[in-house]
Amino acid sequence: LDPAALVMAVAHANLATRWNTSLAIVLHETVRADRWCVTRRDLQDLSMEVLNAMQNGRIVTDSHTRSTVQVPVEDSEESEDDEVFGPSIYTVNEQYIKPVTAEAGKMSWALMRNPDGLDCDLFVSHAWQEGIFEFLSKVLSSW
């Protein structure tokens, strides 16, 4: 690219980011918080997105711990635990959710997925150190 084209591309990207951030602010101000919800399908998609992010190195965990809790595991258990428990929700939030939502304008993940909001049928709480796959499996099987 020539310098002028590069400057225009950067300016366009900055404008898009500002527009997305403005949209995120509007969404957070106009969609009631009790409608910041996700669907069962959103959670199923999140499970696949996290697995893909782990496989392509976007989510990285310490190879000798479960999640981010410093609990040593045997090497033979490691891959099975990764598939059953997954990285901690804290790790997924820091390494996947925050970057994805920042790119979308810094809105919540729920509003990014459902910008009009949704009626909420179920409320779920989680522990930050809990493995994402274990959490999603429990929620989806209970839904």
PDB file of all heavy atoms in Angstrom, residues 14 16-29 36 97-113:
ATOM      1  N   ASN A  14     -10.234   3.183  12.564  1.00  0.00           N
ATOM      2  CA  ASN A  14     -10.495   3.951  13.782  1.00  0.00           C
ATOM      3  C   ASN A  14     -11.929   4.448  13.808  1.00  0.00           C
ATOM      4  O   ASN A  14     -12.585   4.432  14.847  1.00  0.00           O
ATOM      5  CB  ASN A  14      -9.531   5.128  13.910  1.00  0.00           C
ATOM      6  CG  ASN A  14      -8.133   4.683  14.281  1.00  0.00           C
ATOM      7  OD1 ASN A  14      -7.941   3.598  14.814  1.00  0.00           O
ATOM      8  ND2 ASN A  14      -7.152   5.519  13.981  1.00  0.00           N
ATOM      9  N   ALA A  16     -14.505   3.020  12.315  1.00  0.00           N
ATOM     10  CA  ALA A  16     -15.355   1.856  12.555  1.00  0.00           C
ATOM     11  C   ALA A  16     -15.342   1.484  14.030  1.00  0.00           C
ATOM     12  O   ALA A  16     -16.384   1.163  14.600  1.00  0.00           O
ATOM     13  CB  ALA A  16     -14.887   0.673  11.699  1.00  0.00           C
ATOM     14  N   THR A  17     -14.175   1.537  14.666  1.00  0.00           N
ATOM     15  CA  THR A  17     -14.085   1.229  16.089  1.00  0.00           C
ATOM     16  C   THR A  17     -14.879   2.224  16.908  1.00  0.00           C
ATOM     17  O   THR A  17     -15.625   1.846  17.809  1.00  0.00           O
ATOM     18  CB  THR A  17     -12.606   1.212  16.551  1.00  0.00           C
ATOM     19  OG1 THR A  17     -11.920   0.217  15.795  1.00  0.00           O
ATOM     20  CG2 THR A  17     -12.498   0.915  18.028  1.00  0.00           C
ATOM     21  N   ARG A  18     -14.745   3.525  16.594  1.00  0.00           N
ATOM     22  CA  ARG A  18     -15.514   4.541  17.319  1.00  0.00           C
ATOM     23  C   ARG A  18     -17.000   4.338  17.108  1.00  0.00           C
ATOM     24  O   ARG A  18     -17.790   4.455  18.035  1.00  0.00           O
ATOM     25  CB  ARG A  18     -15.096   5.941  16.874  1.00  0.00           C
ATOM     26  CG  ARG A  18     -13.806   6.407  17.514  1.00  0.00           C
ATOM     27  CD  ARG A  18     -13.635   7.896  17.278  1.00  0.00           C
ATOM     28  NE  ARG A  18     -13.633   8.189  15.862  1.00  0.00           N
ATOM     29  CZ  ARG A  18     -12.566   8.520  15.153  1.00  0.00           C
ATOM     30  NH1 ARG A  18     -11.402   8.639  15.733  1.00  0.00           N
ATOM     31  NH2 ARG A  18     -12.645   8.740  13.875  1.00  0.00           N
ATOM     32  N   TRP A  19     -17.420   4.000  15.882  1.00  0.00           N
ATOM     33  CA  TRP A  19     -18.828   3.768  15.609  1.00  0.00           C
ATOM     34  C   TRP A  19     -19.308   2.566  16.409  1.00  0.00           C
ATOM     35  O   TRP A  19     -20.370   2.615  17.024  1.00  0.00           O
ATOM     36  CB  TRP A  19     -19.050   3.536  14.115  1.00  0.00           C
ATOM     37  CG  TRP A  19     -20.507   3.341  13.811  1.00  0.00           C
ATOM     38  CD1 TRP A  19     -21.417   4.326  13.583  1.00  0.00           C
ATOM     39  CD2 TRP A  19     -21.213   2.106  13.722  1.00  0.00           C
ATOM     40  NE1 TRP A  19     -22.661   3.773  13.354  1.00  0.00           N
ATOM     41  CE2 TRP A  19     -22.555   2.413  13.440  1.00  0.00           C
ATOM     42  CE3 TRP A  19     -20.837   0.779  13.862  1.00  0.00           C
ATOM     43  CZ2 TRP A  19     -23.525   1.434  13.283  1.00  0.00           C
ATOM     44  CZ3 TRP A  19     -21.804  -0.197  13.714  1.00  0.00           C
ATOM     45  CH2 TRP A  19     -23.132   0.134  13.424  1.00  0.00           C
ATOM     46  N   ASN A  20     -18.517   1.486  16.424  1.00  0.00           N
ATOM     47  CA  ASN A  20     -18.897   0.298  17.183  1.00  0.00           C
ATOM     48  C   ASN A  20     -18.989   0.602  18.668  1.00  0.00           C
ATOM     49  O   ASN A  20     -19.892   0.130  19.347  1.00  0.00           O
ATOM     50  CB  ASN A  20     -17.906  -0.840  16.948  1.00  0.00           C
ATOM     51  CG  ASN A  20     -18.085  -1.486  15.588  1.00  0.00           C
ATOM     52  OD1 ASN A  20     -19.106  -1.320  14.940  1.00  0.00           O
ATOM     53  ND2 ASN A  20     -17.077  -2.203  15.156  1.00  0.00           N
ATOM     54  N   THR A  21     -18.044   1.401  19.186  1.00  0.00           N
ATOM     55  CA  THR A  21     -18.082   1.765  20.598  1.00  0.00           C
ATOM     56  C   THR A  21     -19.307   2.624  20.883  1.00  0.00           C
ATOM     57  O   THR A  21     -19.978   2.432  21.899  1.00  0.00           O
ATOM     58  CB  THR A  21     -16.785   2.489  21.008  1.00  0.00           C
ATOM     59  OG1 THR A  21     -15.677   1.612  20.739  1.00  0.00           O
ATOM     60  CG2 THR A  21     -16.786   2.854  22.483  1.00  0.00           C
ATOM     61  N   SER A  22     -19.631   3.538  19.979  1.00  0.00           N
ATOM     62  CA  SER A  22     -20.841   4.343  20.146  1.00  0.00           C
ATOM     63  C   SER A  22     -22.072   3.460  20.153  1.00  0.00           C
ATOM     64  O   SER A  22     -22.990   3.662  20.950  1.00  0.00           O
ATOM     65  CB  SER A  22     -20.954   5.385  19.031  1.00  0.00           C
ATOM     66  OG  SER A  22     -19.885   6.293  19.105  1.00  0.00           O
ATOM     67  N   LEU A  23     -22.115   2.469  19.279  1.00  0.00           N
ATOM     68  CA  LEU A  23     -23.230   1.531  19.244  1.00  0.00           C
ATOM     69  C   LEU A  23     -23.307   0.755  20.554  1.00  0.00           C
ATOM     70  O   LEU A  23     -24.394   0.567  21.103  1.00  0.00           O
ATOM     71  CB  LEU A  23     -23.090   0.563  18.063  1.00  0.00           C
ATOM     72  CG  LEU A  23     -24.128  -0.544  17.976  1.00  0.00           C
ATOM     73  CD1 LEU A  23     -25.532   0.041  17.816  1.00  0.00           C
ATOM     74  CD2 LEU A  23     -23.807  -1.483  16.826  1.00  0.00           C
ATOM     75  N   ALA A  24     -22.167   0.326  21.068  1.00  0.00           N
ATOM     76  CA  ALA A  24     -22.144  -0.412  22.331  1.00  0.00           C
ATOM     77  C   ALA A  24     -22.712   0.442  23.458  1.00  0.00           C
ATOM     78  O   ALA A  24     -23.506  -0.038  24.274  1.00  0.00           O
ATOM     79  CB  ALA A  24     -20.716  -0.856  22.665  1.00  0.00           C
ATOM     80  N   ILE A  25     -22.341   1.708  23.497  1.00  0.00           N
ATOM     81  CA  ILE A  25     -22.862   2.618  24.529  1.00  0.00           C
ATOM     82  C   ILE A  25     -24.377   2.749  24.401  1.00  0.00           C
ATOM     83  O   ILE A  25     -25.103   2.656  25.387  1.00  0.00           O
ATOM     84  CB  ILE A  25     -22.163   3.990  24.452  1.00  0.00           C
ATOM     85  CG1 ILE A  25     -20.695   3.845  24.860  1.00  0.00           C
ATOM     86  CG2 ILE A  25     -22.868   5.022  25.323  1.00  0.00           C
ATOM     87  CD1 ILE A  25     -19.833   5.054  24.544  1.00  0.00           C
ATOM     88  N   VAL A  26     -24.844   2.927  23.169  1.00  0.00           N
ATOM     89  CA  VAL A  26     -26.287   3.051  22.945  1.00  0.00           C
ATOM     90  C   VAL A  26     -27.004   1.772  23.384  1.00  0.00           C
ATOM     91  O   VAL A  26     -28.040   1.829  24.060  1.00  0.00           O
ATOM     92  CB  VAL A  26     -26.596   3.370  21.457  1.00  0.00           C
ATOM     93  CG1 VAL A  26     -28.073   3.211  21.151  1.00  0.00           C
ATOM     94  CG2 VAL A  26     -26.111   4.764  21.119  1.00  0.00           C
ATOM     95  N   LEU A  27     -26.461   0.614  23.027  1.00  0.00           N
ATOM     96  CA  LEU A  27     -27.090  -0.642  23.425  1.00  0.00           C
ATOM     97  C   LEU A  27     -27.172  -0.761  24.945  1.00  0.00           C
ATOM     98  O   LEU A  27     -28.209  -1.126  25.492  1.00  0.00           O
ATOM     99  CB  LEU A  27     -26.329  -1.844  22.851  1.00  0.00           C
ATOM    100  CG  LEU A  27     -26.486  -2.091  21.363  1.00  0.00           C
ATOM    101  CD1 LEU A  27     -25.577  -3.224  20.916  1.00  0.00           C
ATOM    102  CD2 LEU A  27     -27.930  -2.398  21.019  1.00  0.00           C
ATOM    103  N   HIS A  28     -26.071  -0.451  25.627  1.00  0.00           N
ATOM    104  CA  HIS A  28     -26.069  -0.561  27.084  1.00  0.00           C
ATOM    105  C   HIS A  28     -27.020   0.439  27.735  1.00  0.00           C
ATOM    106  O   HIS A  28     -27.533   0.187  28.826  1.00  0.00           O
ATOM    107  CB  HIS A  28     -24.649  -0.419  27.637  1.00  0.00           C
ATOM    108  CG  HIS A  28     -23.832  -1.652  27.471  1.00  0.00           C
ATOM    109  ND1 HIS A  28     -22.888  -1.780  26.484  1.00  0.00           N
ATOM    110  CD2 HIS A  28     -23.839  -2.821  28.140  1.00  0.00           C
ATOM    111  CE1 HIS A  28     -22.341  -2.979  26.557  1.00  0.00           C
ATOM    112  NE2 HIS A  28     -22.903  -3.640  27.563  1.00  0.00           N
ATOM    113  N   GLU A  29     -27.242   1.558  27.075  1.00  0.00           N
ATOM    114  CA  GLU A  29     -28.150   2.566  27.638  1.00  0.00           C
ATOM    115  C   GLU A  29     -29.616   2.302  27.290  1.00  0.00           C
ATOM    116  O   GLU A  29     -30.508   2.758  28.008  1.00  0.00           O
ATOM    117  CB  GLU A  29     -27.758   3.963  27.159  1.00  0.00           C
ATOM    118  CG  GLU A  29     -26.451   4.448  27.760  1.00  0.00           C
ATOM    119  CD  GLU A  29     -25.991   5.793  27.205  1.00  0.00           C
ATOM    120  OE1 GLU A  29     -26.552   6.257  26.184  1.00  0.00           O
ATOM    121  OE2 GLU A  29     -25.060   6.367  27.793  1.00  0.00           O
ATOM    122  N   TRP A  36     -30.143  -8.556  28.928  1.00  0.00           N
ATOM    123  CA  TRP A  36     -28.803  -8.902  28.453  1.00  0.00           C
ATOM    124  C   TRP A  36     -28.631 -10.399  28.643  1.00  0.00           C
ATOM    125  O   TRP A  36     -27.969 -10.866  29.562  1.00  0.00           O
ATOM    126  CB  TRP A  36     -27.723  -8.145  29.206  1.00  0.00           C
ATOM    127  CG  TRP A  36     -27.787  -6.654  29.102  1.00  0.00           C
ATOM    128  CD1 TRP A  36     -28.628  -5.901  28.348  1.00  0.00           C
ATOM    129  CD2 TRP A  36     -26.964  -5.728  29.799  1.00  0.00           C
ATOM    130  NE1 TRP A  36     -28.390  -4.564  28.524  1.00  0.00           N
ATOM    131  CE2 TRP A  36     -27.356  -4.430  29.420  1.00  0.00           C
ATOM    132  CE3 TRP A  36     -25.924  -5.866  30.712  1.00  0.00           C
ATOM    133  CZ2 TRP A  36     -26.748  -3.288  29.908  1.00  0.00           C
ATOM    134  CZ3 TRP A  36     -25.318  -4.727  31.202  1.00  0.00           C
ATOM    135  CH2 TRP A  36     -25.728  -3.457  30.800  1.00  0.00           C
ATOM    136  N   ILE A  97     -13.198 -13.625  25.436  1.00  0.00           N
ATOM    137  CA  ILE A  97     -14.378 -12.756  25.488  1.00  0.00           C
ATOM    138  C   ILE A  97     -14.002 -11.281  25.392  1.00  0.00           C
ATOM    139  O   ILE A  97     -14.562 -10.539  24.573  1.00  0.00           O
ATOM    140  CB  ILE A  97     -15.205 -13.007  26.776  1.00  0.00           C
ATOM    141  CG1 ILE A  97     -15.710 -14.448  26.831  1.00  0.00           C
ATOM    142  CG2 ILE A  97     -16.338 -11.989  26.907  1.00  0.00           C
ATOM    143  CD1 ILE A  97     -16.772 -14.801  25.834  1.00  0.00           C
ATOM    144  N   LYS A  98     -13.041 -10.839  26.205  1.00  0.00           N
ATOM    145  CA  LYS A  98     -12.667  -9.414  26.174  1.00  0.00           C
ATOM    146  C   LYS A  98     -12.139  -8.983  24.806  1.00  0.00           C
ATOM    147  O   LYS A  98     -12.564  -7.949  24.290  1.00  0.00           O
ATOM    148  CB  LYS A  98     -11.660  -9.087  27.280  1.00  0.00           C
ATOM    149  CG  LYS A  98     -12.292  -8.989  28.644  1.00  0.00           C
ATOM    150  CD  LYS A  98     -11.259  -8.569  29.684  1.00  0.00           C
ATOM    151  CE  LYS A  98     -11.884  -8.401  31.055  1.00  0.00           C
ATOM    152  NZ  LYS A  98     -10.876  -7.988  32.058  1.00  0.00           N
ATOM    153  N   PRO A  99     -11.224  -9.734  24.187  1.00  0.00           N
ATOM    154  CA  PRO A  99     -10.771  -9.317  22.854  1.00  0.00           C
ATOM    155  C   PRO A  99     -11.878  -9.320  21.798  1.00  0.00           C
ATOM    156  O   PRO A  99     -11.956  -8.410  20.972  1.00  0.00           O
ATOM    157  CB  PRO A  99      -9.678 -10.338  22.500  1.00  0.00           C
ATOM    158  CG  PRO A  99      -9.194 -10.847  23.811  1.00  0.00           C
ATOM    159  CD  PRO A  99     -10.400 -10.842  24.711  1.00  0.00           C
ATOM    160  N   VAL A 100     -12.744 -10.317  21.826  1.00  0.00           N
ATOM    161  CA  VAL A 100     -13.829 -10.397  20.843  1.00  0.00           C
ATOM    162  C   VAL A 100     -14.803  -9.238  21.023  1.00  0.00           C
ATOM    163  O   VAL A 100     -15.213  -8.590  20.055  1.00  0.00           O
ATOM    164  CB  VAL A 100     -14.561 -11.765  20.944  1.00  0.00           C
ATOM    165  CG1 VAL A 100     -15.875 -11.755  20.190  1.00  0.00           C
ATOM    166  CG2 VAL A 100     -13.658 -12.874  20.433  1.00  0.00           C
ATOM    167  N   THR A 101     -15.175  -8.950  22.271  1.00  0.00           N
ATOM    168  CA  THR A 101     -16.132  -7.870  22.505  1.00  0.00           C
ATOM    169  C   THR A 101     -15.487  -6.504  22.295  1.00  0.00           C
ATOM    170  O   THR A 101     -16.161  -5.565  21.871  1.00  0.00           O
ATOM    171  CB  THR A 101     -16.776  -7.963  23.904  1.00  0.00           C
ATOM    172  OG1 THR A 101     -15.752  -7.976  24.899  1.00  0.00           O
ATOM    173  CG2 THR A 101     -17.633  -9.215  24.019  1.00  0.00           C
ATOM    174  N   ALA A 102     -14.187  -6.386  22.557  1.00  0.00           N
ATOM    175  CA  ALA A 102     -13.489  -5.119  22.282  1.00  0.00           C
ATOM    176  C   ALA A 102     -13.502  -4.836  20.783  1.00  0.00           C
ATOM    177  O   ALA A 102     -13.746  -3.708  20.351  1.00  0.00           O
ATOM    178  CB  ALA A 102     -12.055  -5.167  22.804  1.00  0.00           C
ATOM    179  N   GLU A 103     -13.272  -5.869  19.999  1.00  0.00           N
ATOM    180  CA  GLU A 103     -13.292  -5.728  18.546  1.00  0.00           C
ATOM    181  C   GLU A 103     -14.683  -5.337  18.043  1.00  0.00           C
ATOM    182  O   GLU A 103     -14.821  -4.635  17.040  1.00  0.00           O
ATOM    183  CB  GLU A 103     -12.853  -7.059  17.915  1.00  0.00           C
ATOM    184  CG  GLU A 103     -12.554  -7.002  16.454  1.00  0.00           C
ATOM    185  CD  GLU A 103     -12.001  -8.315  15.955  1.00  0.00           C
ATOM    186  OE1 GLU A 103     -10.932  -8.732  16.456  1.00  0.00           O
ATOM    187  OE2 GLU A 103     -12.643  -8.922  15.082  1.00  0.00           O
ATOM    188  N   ALA A 104     -15.716  -5.774  18.765  1.00  0.00           N
ATOM    189  CA  ALA A 104     -17.089  -5.466  18.371  1.00  0.00           C
ATOM    190  C   ALA A 104     -17.568  -4.128  18.925  1.00  0.00           C
ATOM    191  O   ALA A 104     -18.716  -3.763  18.728  1.00  0.00           O
ATOM    192  CB  ALA A 104     -18.023  -6.583  18.847  1.00  0.00           C
ATOM    193  N   GLY A 105     -16.702  -3.422  19.654  1.00  0.00           N
ATOM    194  CA  GLY A 105     -17.074  -2.109  20.160  1.00  0.00           C
ATOM    195  C   GLY A 105     -17.182  -2.011  21.670  1.00  0.00           C
ATOM    196  O   GLY A 105     -17.704  -1.046  22.194  1.00  0.00           O
ATOM    197  N   LYS A 106     -16.751  -3.044  22.360  1.00  0.00           N
ATOM    198  CA  LYS A 106     -16.734  -3.066  23.834  1.00  0.00           C
ATOM    199  C   LYS A 106     -18.114  -3.246  24.449  1.00  0.00           C
ATOM    200  O   LYS A 106     -18.361  -2.789  25.553  1.00  0.00           O
ATOM    201  CB  LYS A 106     -16.041  -1.830  24.401  1.00  0.00           C
ATOM    202  CG  LYS A 106     -14.611  -1.680  23.946  1.00  0.00           C
ATOM    203  CD  LYS A 106     -13.968  -0.477  24.570  1.00  0.00           C
ATOM    204  CE  LYS A 106     -12.549  -0.333  24.046  1.00  0.00           C
ATOM    205  NZ  LYS A 106     -11.909   0.853  24.544  1.00  0.00           N
ATOM    206  N   MET A 107     -19.002  -3.904  23.755  1.00  0.00           N
ATOM    207  CA  MET A 107     -20.292  -4.224  24.347  1.00  0.00           C
ATOM    208  C   MET A 107     -20.184  -5.551  25.084  1.00  0.00           C
ATOM    209  O   MET A 107     -19.200  -6.270  24.926  1.00  0.00           O
ATOM    210  CB  MET A 107     -21.378  -4.286  23.281  1.00  0.00           C
ATOM    211  CG  MET A 107     -21.186  -5.388  22.255  1.00  0.00           C
ATOM    212  SD  MET A 107     -22.233  -5.194  20.814  1.00  0.00           S
ATOM    213  CE  MET A 107     -21.570  -3.746  20.061  1.00  0.00           C
ATOM    214  N   SER A 108     -21.184  -5.864  25.881  1.00  0.00           N
ATOM    215  CA  SER A 108     -21.189  -7.152  26.566  1.00  0.00           C
ATOM    216  C   SER A 108     -21.314  -8.272  25.534  1.00  0.00           C
ATOM    217  O   SER A 108     -21.812  -8.061  24.425  1.00  0.00           O
ATOM    218  CB  SER A 108     -22.344  -7.224  27.561  1.00  0.00           C
ATOM    219  OG  SER A 108     -23.572  -7.342  26.875  1.00  0.00           O
ATOM    220  N   TRP A 109     -20.879  -9.461  25.914  1.00  0.00           N
ATOM    221  CA  TRP A 109     -20.969 -10.596  25.003  1.00  0.00           C
ATOM    222  C   TRP A 109     -22.431 -10.893  24.690  1.00  0.00           C
ATOM    223  O   TRP A 109     -22.787 -11.195  23.554  1.00  0.00           O
ATOM    224  CB  TRP A 109     -20.261 -11.819  25.613  1.00  0.00           C
ATOM    225  CG  TRP A 109     -20.123 -12.954  24.657  1.00  0.00           C
ATOM    226  CD1 TRP A 109     -19.254 -13.046  23.603  1.00  0.00           C
ATOM    227  CD2 TRP A 109     -20.880 -14.160  24.654  1.00  0.00           C
ATOM    228  NE1 TRP A 109     -19.432 -14.244  22.947  1.00  0.00           N
ATOM    229  CE2 TRP A 109     -20.419 -14.947  23.580  1.00  0.00           C
ATOM    230  CE3 TRP A 109     -21.901 -14.663  25.449  1.00  0.00           C
ATOM    231  CZ2 TRP A 109     -20.939 -16.198  23.282  1.00  0.00           C
ATOM    232  CZ3 TRP A 109     -22.417 -15.919  25.162  1.00  0.00           C
ATOM    233  CH2 TRP A 109     -21.935 -16.670  24.083  1.00  0.00           C
ATOM    234  N   ALA A 110     -23.293 -10.786  25.700  1.00  0.00           N
ATOM    235  CA  ALA A 110     -24.720 -11.051  25.491  1.00  0.00           C
ATOM    236  C   ALA A 110     -25.321 -10.077  24.479  1.00  0.00           C
ATOM    237  O   ALA A 110     -26.069 -10.485  23.589  1.00  0.00           O
ATOM    238  CB  ALA A 110     -25.469 -10.966  26.824  1.00  0.00           C
ATOM    239  N   LEU A 111     -24.996  -8.785  24.607  1.00  0.00           N
ATOM    240  CA  LEU A 111     -25.536  -7.807  23.648  1.00  0.00           C
ATOM    241  C   LEU A 111     -24.876  -7.933  22.281  1.00  0.00           C
ATOM    242  O   LEU A 111     -25.501  -7.629  21.262  1.00  0.00           O
ATOM    243  CB  LEU A 111     -25.406  -6.383  24.185  1.00  0.00           C
ATOM    244  CG  LEU A 111     -26.386  -6.020  25.295  1.00  0.00           C
ATOM    245  CD1 LEU A 111     -26.141  -4.597  25.779  1.00  0.00           C
ATOM    246  CD2 LEU A 111     -27.824  -6.204  24.851  1.00  0.00           C
ATOM    247  N   MET A 112     -23.648  -8.353  22.242  1.00  0.00           N
ATOM    248  CA  MET A 112     -23.000  -8.590  20.954  1.00  0.00           C
ATOM    249  C   MET A 112     -23.743  -9.701  20.214  1.00  0.00           C
ATOM    250  O   MET A 112     -23.973  -9.618  19.016  1.00  0.00           O
ATOM    251  CB  MET A 112     -21.534  -8.977  21.160  1.00  0.00           C
ATOM    252  CG  MET A 112     -20.766  -9.193  19.873  1.00  0.00           C
ATOM    253  SD  MET A 112     -19.102  -9.841  20.148  1.00  0.00           S
ATOM    254  CE  MET A 112     -19.458 -11.555  20.531  1.00  0.00           C
ATOM    255  N   ARG A 113     -24.147 -10.744  20.944  1.00  0.00           N
ATOM    256  CA  ARG A 113     -24.860 -11.862  20.337  1.00  0.00           C
ATOM    257  C   ARG A 113     -26.327 -11.534  20.052  1.00  0.00           C
ATOM    258  O   ARG A 113     -26.902 -12.046  19.087  1.00  0.00           O
ATOM    259  CB  ARG A 113     -24.792 -13.099  21.247  1.00  0.00           C
ATOM    260  CG  ARG A 113     -23.408 -13.660  21.511  1.00  0.00           C
ATOM    261  CD  ARG A 113     -22.791 -14.275  20.310  1.00  0.00           C
ATOM    262  NE  ARG A 113     -23.549 -15.380  19.802  1.00  0.00           N
ATOM    263  CZ  ARG A 113     -23.029 -16.486  19.324  1.00  0.00           C
ATOM    264  NH1 ARG A 113     -21.735 -16.649  19.299  1.00  0.00           N
ATOM    265  NH2 ARG A 113     -23.807 -17.432  18.848  1.00  0.00           N
TER     266      ARG A 113
END
